[in-house]
Amino acid sequence: MENGRRSTQINRCLIERERRRHMKALFTKLSTLLPTQPTKMSVPEMVDRATTYVKELQTRMERYEGTKVQLEASCEMKKRRRMTRPVLSVRDFGSNLEVNLITGVNMGFALSDFISILQEGGADIISATCQHVEDRAIYTILSQAIYPRIGIATSSVHESHGVWQRSLALQAKLATKLQAADCKMLSHPS
């Protein structure tokens, strides 16, 4: 009986020693994960400091995640607002002419410029409409020749077509580059 108690007591001592060794290794590992401290800390101080540090990290993480969500939403909105590559079409119906233009809503397009070109070519504007569909603006200008026997000088409209197409494409390209630069600046603040 004495032998059995003795072996049980030795086993308990060995188990307790191993537990203390394991705890010491865990505390050493914990102290390496904490920001450096000027003085040595006791175990309760280390546990308290670790708890505080983890809470600080959680708060920072939540703040960073909130900022990330805001930046992603901002970039997504800018992408949606991105200028649509403009499309210009001119349809000649003899004494009538239809001009259709599709651009981004924020393109800053001057409908009066196209109307002026048509009027210089001898057209009388029947109607001019603008519709906004999501991030696009759709302009339609219907015109009729002032003197139906002469017709509309569609050559000036067709000549202007190429110039306007290149100008609108350059505006859209520039706007896209500016918005991409804004998104990069937002995602990598200095």
Side-chain angles (χ1 to χ4, degrees), residues 8 12 18 20-21 28 39 58 64 71 108 113 122 129 150 152 155 167 176 179-181 183:
T8 306
R12 283 186 190 162
E18 186 56 36
R20 283 190 303 247
R21 209 177 283 147
T28 302
T39 60
Q58 284 175 332
Y64 290 149
L71 290 173
D113 292 341
T129 61
I150 300 172
I152 301 171
S155 61
S167 172
T176 301
Q179 287 176 348
C183 284

Side-chain angles (χ1 to χ4, degrees), residues 5-183:
R5 270 193 212 172
R6 183 124 172 101
S7 67
T8 306
Q9 194 175 21
I10 292 173
N11 281 341
R12 283 186 190 162
C13 286
L14 290 174
I15 291 170
E16 181 61 22
R17 187 179 299 153
E18 186 56 36
R19 186 191 69 77
R20 283 190 303 247
R21 209 177 283 147
H22 181 67
M23 291 299 290
K24 184 177 180 182
L26 289 174
F27 283 121
T28 302
K29 187 175 180 180
L30 178 62
S31 69
T32 62
L33 296 174
L34 293 174
T36 56
Q37 296 294 320
T39 60
K40 191 170 180 171
M41 292 186 281
S42 68
V43 171
E45 289 173 331
M46 189 185 315
V47 171
D48 187 45
R49 177 67 184 123
T51 305
T52 304
Y53 185 61
V54 167
K55 287 178 183 176
E56 287 173 11
L57 290 176
Q58 284 175 332
T59 303
R60 264 194 245 164
M61 182 86 146
E62 289 169 2
R63 190 172 58 237
Y64 290 149
E65 285 177 359
T67 302
K68 179 184 173 188
V69 168
Q70 287 175 342
L71 290 173
E72 286 174 345
S74 175
C75 268
E76 190 59 36
M77 276 192 340
K78 288 186 185 255
K79 283 180 186 175
R80 274 190 247 133
R81 287 187 200 158
R82 184 174 290 147
M83 310 279 177
T84 305
R85 184 176 180 96
V87 177
L88 176 67
S89 68
V90 179
R91 292 170 49 190
D92 187 353
F93 299 109
S95 63
N96 291 333
L97 193 68
E98 179 182 277
V99 177
N100 293 299
L101 176 66
I102 302 172
T103 67
V105 173
N106 299 330
M107 191 104 184
F109 170 71
L111 185 60
S112 61
D113 292 341
F114 270 92
I115 291 174
S116 295
I117 291 169
L118 289 170
Q119 288 174 334
E120 287 170 10
D124 188 20
I125 306 303
I126 298 171
S127 69
T129 61
C130 176
Q131 294 178 322
H132 293 276
V133 179
E134 293 179 13
D135 62 341
R136 294 184 178 136
I138 303 169
Y139 301 93
T140 303
I141 305 169
L142 296 174
S143 60
Q144 180 179 20
I146 294 174
Y147 304 105
R149 289 189 184 154
I150 300 172
I152 301 171
T154 58
S155 61
S156 65
V157 175
H158 286 290
E159 288 169 12
S160 299
H161 177 274
V163 173
W164 280 103
Q165 196 72 22
R166 286 189 295 277
S167 172
L168 292 170
L170 286 172
Q171 286 178 1
K173 193 182 244 184
L174 178 62
T176 301
K177 285 183 180 181
L178 289 172
Q179 287 176 348
D182 284 348
C183 284

